[in-house]
Amino acid sequence: MRQDYEIGEKKKTNSHLRRETHHRSEMKIVLIGGRQMWDIEASGKSSIGNTILGIDIFETGRRTAQCVSGQRYVYGRQITLIDTPGWWWGYPVDNTPKLDQLEIMRSVYLCHPGPQAFLLVIPVDTVFPDIFKRSLQEHLELFNERLWRHTIVLFSTITPPNDISLQKHIGDWPDLHWLIKKCGNRYHVLNVNNRGDDTQVTELLEKIEEMVAGNDGNHYETDQALSEELEEKRLAVNEVAKQMMAKVQKQRTRLRALIKGEFKCVCEILRTRLKET
Ligand SMILES: Nc1nc2c(ncn2[C@@H]2O[C@H](COP(=O)(O)OP(=O)(O)O)[C@@H](O)[C@H]2O)c(=O)[nH]1
Ligand SMILES: [Mg+2]
């Protein structure tokens, strides 16, 4: 059954709380999310990163294979953003390449001592069936359970946002409603095609500050021992990948030489036959 989501009420409470929140001079944020949603190409993580920082730091429209860090002083704050590889919405974590999983896990170690916020990027108009929820839960288990208290659902859009249709959309997809609740009712809409609108970014930063204040100023805690273990695994998986690439390259070269030889042979036969006729 569809449930309407009370966005209006929530907004009132938030703006009241936000007034009591202090500006943070420094913010470390990790962008997470899926990588493809059926007819929609991507979540828009990199586009969101560029919109927040106000310049094109992250490459868009291409797979982010490794975490990328972007830093800029904007709206009176030093912002560090970590862009991460995405996962295929609706697919179990086992379908995500091991290197991508390790990169996603590594993201929190690229902003020492740990991020204050995670922005979970989802296109505003996308469907959100149960299979997406399960995929999301599995992928977020790459982090620890404390992630949820540092997460804001960030709806990306390329058209002007509409509160009424968002409210209806959340009502239409109970798992999306569940997700927003799981994130302490924190969400924001950002139009990546409207870089000129400073308000949408400053409001997001205020929401992050409000969340950080609610977490007593604490960042997401990372585990240094796990960081070293991750680095070792990453180097090992990278080495295996390199060896496989070298093997494939060798096979390709051999195959090319073989085809070239065969081609030469066929040409010779044709030439002889032509001479005979
Ligand atoms: N339809 C739609 N396209 C989007 C949205 N957000 C970003 N895009 C576009 O999708 C393409 C890929 O976005 P990108 O930021 O690279 O996604 P990422 O793979 O999650 O980092 C870009 O051309 C964006 O302009 C959205 O909310 N809806
Ligand atoms: Mg990207």
Side-chain angles (χ1 to χ4, degrees), residues 42 44-47 58-65 83-86:
K45 295 183 294 301
S46 305
S47 309
F58 305 110
E59 197 175 357
T60 61
R62 282 198 64 192
R63 184 170 100 83
T64 305
D83 195 12
T84 61

Side-chain angles (χ1 to χ4, degrees), residues 189-221:
V189 187
L190 210 67
N191 182 354
V192 297
N193 275 353
N194 195 4
R195 291 261 192 106
D197 178 5
D198 294 349
T199 316
Q200 59 167 359
V201 179
T202 49
E203 279 189 358
L204 169 66
L205 298 179
E206 283 166 12
K207 284 180 188 178
I208 295 174
E209 280 161 349
E210 184 188 322
M211 178 180 71
V212 177
N215 287 329
D216 298 325
N218 293 326
H219 55 82
Y220 168 85
E221 270 176 49

Side-chain angles (χ1 to χ4, degrees), residues 70-116:
Q71 207 174 48
R72 198 164 182 237
Y73 190 75
V74 279
Y75 307 107
R77 296 125 169 132
Q78 182 66 32
I79 312 268
T80 302
L81 285 181
I82 310 293
D83 195 12
T84 61
W87 63 84
W88 283 291
W89 288 103
Y91 283 83
V93 71
D94 289 344
N95 285 55
T96 302
K98 194 73 197 161
L99 259 177
D100 285 4
Q101 291 183 37
L102 291 169
E103 276 297 309
I104 293 171
M105 291 165 88
R106 195 170 76 100
S107 60
V108 296
Y109 298 99
L110 298 177
C111 46
H112 186 77
Q116 282 117 347

Side-chain angles (χ1 to χ4, degrees), residues 102-132:
L102 291 169
E103 276 297 309
I104 293 171
M105 291 165 88
R106 195 170 76 100
S107 60
V108 296
Y109 298 99
L110 298 177
C111 46
H112 186 77
Q116 282 117 347
F118 292 87
L119 297 178
L120 176 55
V121 184
I122 301 176
V124 76
D125 48 2
T126 194
V127 296
F128 204 86
D130 175 58
I131 193 173
F132 279 28

Side-chain angles (χ1 to χ4, degrees), residues 11 41 80 91 93-94 117 124 136 142 153 165 172 181 185 213 252:
K11 263 194 165 170
E41 283 300 306
T80 302
Y91 283 83
V93 71
D94 289 344
V124 76
L136 176 87
L142 294 172
V153 176
S165 56
D172 283 343
K181 270 181 88 177
N185 289 320
R252 259 194 208 155

